[in-house]
Amino acid sequence: MHMIDLITKKKQGGALSRAELDYIVCGAVRGDIPDYQLSAFLMAVCFRGMTAQETTDLTLSMARSGDMADLSDIPGVKADKHSTGGVGDKTTLAVAPIAAACGLVLAKMSGRGLGHTGGTVDKLESIPGFRTELSGEEFRAIVQKTGICVAGQSGNLAPADKKLYALRDVTATVDSMPLIASSIMSKKLAAGADVILLDVKYGSGAFLAAPEDAVALAKRMVEIGTAAGRRTAALITDMDVPLGLAIGNSLEVREAIDSLRGHGPQDYTRVSVALAAALLSLAGRGTADECRRMAEDAIRSGAALAKLREMTEAQGGDPRYIDEPSRFPRAAYTEPVSAPSDGYLQHMDTAQIGRASVLLGAGRERAGEAIDHAAGIVLAHKTGDFVRQGEPLAWLHTNHPAAFAEAQASFLSALAFGSTPPSPRAEIYAYVTENQVIYHRNN
Ligand code: URA
């Protein structure tokens, strides 16, 4: 086989066979295929797309390119959830403990934040002592003991994705449906769960702006998961506005704890309950209504909060921070951003708000940069609110006061005001299963 023939075939719109895709994936991991040929192939995929069969074959090949976790000796249904990323998206911090409190085994690998989106690993590491870099044995031992563990991705999980993603990032080939689907699903399949729930976000803070595109991506990923023998479904959720009020690592952990105590922001709690309920229902725990009630009961009874505490302790974190979130260190400086005029907050460019939080120190522009766990933004108003001139729209938190001016300007530039309220948007747009797309009633 010759790489130039495979690039030509894809360039002309042909469909590559499983053997041909295996050749590309193995060559990428072994370093046998030069970056310029891999990049040409990725660009050809961007323009020509891939059939459903090609996307599944590519994903399976990428999943098998490194370690495949085998959780089969751990009793119970092993469940995983994955969000395509957003701003203030702290759903794992609530969904994982809710689902574990309801009897599922949550063995989850998460990522760090990059660019405007946050990452669960960074959020958890804001709890003093919390370890996310675990050996395979430690990960399994914690899952076995507590039924829940959220760790960083192991070094050799889907190395083909690591290679291809790094090239996509610098060749403008990230935004291709089959490449996104295979990238996400290769890691999910390698992580070993029986049940996979995807939270595919759409809107100004998401990868994909349009809900139809999010549904199309979700369908592809559900198809792949199902073909690989995993029960897979997706919720399509709104990321045209930050989720909850807190953006930034320890600020988000505090908000998650508040929500598990029953007094967090309603949008965040509703989305978390919907995700947990979907996971439970996918795992065969009951009807959609029964699973929603189970998830709500896990919050009401304190069982979900107890699971978060148990996980924290098992991963070396100080559980007193879960009991008393006021222990989290506050940023040394806090300043408001004030409303420039009276009016309705008509739109929030959510990615831009994420970038403002990065300026304050809450995120990183490049992989590997240090972050400030206490930095971030706490919103006082969100899309749809009426505000008066001079009223605080948000509070900015940082340990680097020189960052305020640029972060304030950046935050304000993300907002659009008007004299009429915007039309309301649904938090949950649709539920995508193997066989159907169920659109939410209030769309
Ligand atoms: N997240 C991933 O892991 N891969 C993509 O391609 C996009 C989002």
Side-chain angles (χ1 to χ4, degrees):
M1 239 180 260
H2 297 285
M3 188 61 187
I4 189 163
D5 298 331
L6 307 186
I7 298 169
T8 305
K9 187 170 177 186
K10 184 41 71 190
K11 186 180 79 174
Q12 292 172 344
L16 297 171
S17 68
R18 184 174 303 169
E20 288 167 333
L21 291 163
D22 276 343
Y23 173 85
I24 296 171
V25 168
C26 292
V29 173
R30 282 203 302 258
D32 296 345
I33 303 174
D35 287 358
Y36 50 81
Q37 286 192 311
L38 289 171
S39 303
F41 163 71
L42 293 168
M43 190 58 87
V45 173
C46 275
F47 282 109
R48 290 300 198 164
M50 277 186 157
T51 63
Q53 187 61 52
E54 278 180 294
T55 314
T56 299
D57 290 341
L58 174 64
T59 309
L60 293 177
S61 186
M62 286 166 66
R64 293 187 195 116
S65 67
D67 299 338
M68 294 282 287
D70 178 3
L71 307 175
S72 56
D73 59 331
I74 300 176
V77 181
K78 274 72 70 184
D80 195 354
K81 80 159 266 282
H82 177 82
S83 157
T84 56
V87 176
D89 178 9
K90 57 204 79 76
T91 49
T92 293
L93 301 179
V95 175
I98 294 172
C102 295
L104 301 190
V105 177
L106 258 290
K108 177 160 171 48
M109 291 186 195
S110 288
R112 294 191 181 277
L114 188 59
H116 74 273
T117 60
T120 303
V121 162
D122 295 320
K123 293 171 203 191
L124 287 171
E125 283 180 353
S126 70
I127 303 171
F130 199 106
R131 291 175 54 231
T132 58
E133 281 181 27
L134 304 174
S135 68
E137 293 73 45
E138 282 178 306
F139 182 73
R140 299 172 72 80
I142 293 171
V143 172
Q144 226 140 9
K145 180 164 169 252
T146 64
I148 180 170
C149 185
V150 180
Q153 240 161 254
S154 91
N156 199 33
L157 193 91
D161 178 58
K162 222 165 272 164
K163 173 74 192 174
L164 295 180
Y165 195 87
L167 286 177
R168 287 166 61 206
D169 207 21
V170 292
T171 55
T173 52
V174 169
D175 60 347
S176 146
M177 197 77 82
L179 295 181
I180 296 174
S182 55
S183 167
I184 293 174
M185 290 305 291
S186 61
K187 289 173 288 203
K188 292 290 107 184
L189 297 181
D194 310 311
V195 165
I196 302 168
L197 179 73
L198 303 159
D199 176 9
V200 182
K201 309 270 186 202
Y202 72 97
S204 61
F207 245 107
L208 301 166
E212 303 76 29
D213 290 341
V215 170
L217 175 63
K219 278 182 172 169
R220 265 296 160 95
M221 294 197 290
V222 170
E223 250 166 44
I224 295 169
T226 308
R230 318 293 173 91
R231 273 173 276 163
T232 311
L235 276 184
I236 311 298
T237 68
D238 188 27
M239 190 36 74
D240 208 48
V241 62
L243 191 58
L245 299 173
I247 302 158
N249 300 288
S250 65
L251 295 168
E252 293 191 38
V253 175
R254 294 182 64 153
E255 186 164 273
I257 295 168
D258 278 352
S259 298
L260 292 179
R261 286 192 168 147
H263 27 254
Q266 289 188 5
D267 62 339
Y268 167 54
T269 303
R270 278 195 296 261
V271 171
S272 299
V273 165
L275 289 165
L279 204 47
L280 288 164
S281 141
L282 201 54
R285 292 302 164 108
T287 63
D289 278 347
E290 285 163 353
C291 290
R292 187 176 35 77
R293 277 197 296 275
M294 276 167 73
E296 286 167 349
D297 285 348
I299 296 180
R300 209 172 294 123
S301 67
L305 185 65
K307 268 289 165 202
L308 180 65
R309 191 183 194 284
E310 201 182 340
M311 174 178 91
T312 299
E313 201 160 16
Q315 294 189 233
D318 185 341
R320 292 174 303 169
Y321 283 72
I322 308 298
D323 302 333
E324 298 163 56
S326 58
R327 284 177 177 269
F328 280 99
R330 293 282 192 174
Y333 305 92
T334 307
E335 277 203 7
V337 186
S338 304
S341 55
D342 288 3
Y344 284 97
L345 192 40
Q346 282 191 324
H347 187 245
M348 303 176 93
D349 177 340
T350 300
Q352 181 65 15
I353 291 173
R355 285 190 282 274
S357 78
V358 173
L359 292 172
L360 295 164
R364 49 177 80 79
E365 312 265 6
R366 271 174 225 91
E369 282 176 356
I371 54 167
D372 176 354
H373 285 116
I377 300 174
V378 178
L379 302 172
H381 287 287
K382 302 218 308 189
T383 306
D385 289 353
F386 183 82
V387 295
R388 297 245 170 241
Q389 185 180 13
E391 195 182 340
L393 297 168
W395 294 89
L396 309 186
H397 297 237
T398 189
N399 286 306
H400 305 284
F404 275 134
E406 195 183 349
Q408 271 163 340
S410 171
F411 182 87
L412 274 177
S413 74
L415 309 181
F417 295 90
S419 55
T420 52
S423 22
R425 288 168 67 100
E427 284 147 11
I428 314 275
Y429 180 78
Y431 181 54
V432 179
T433 68
E434 183 188 349
N435 306 314
Q436 56 181 341
V437 180
I438 303 163
Y439 290 93
H440 212 257
R441 276 191 301 275
N442 54 356
N443 281 306

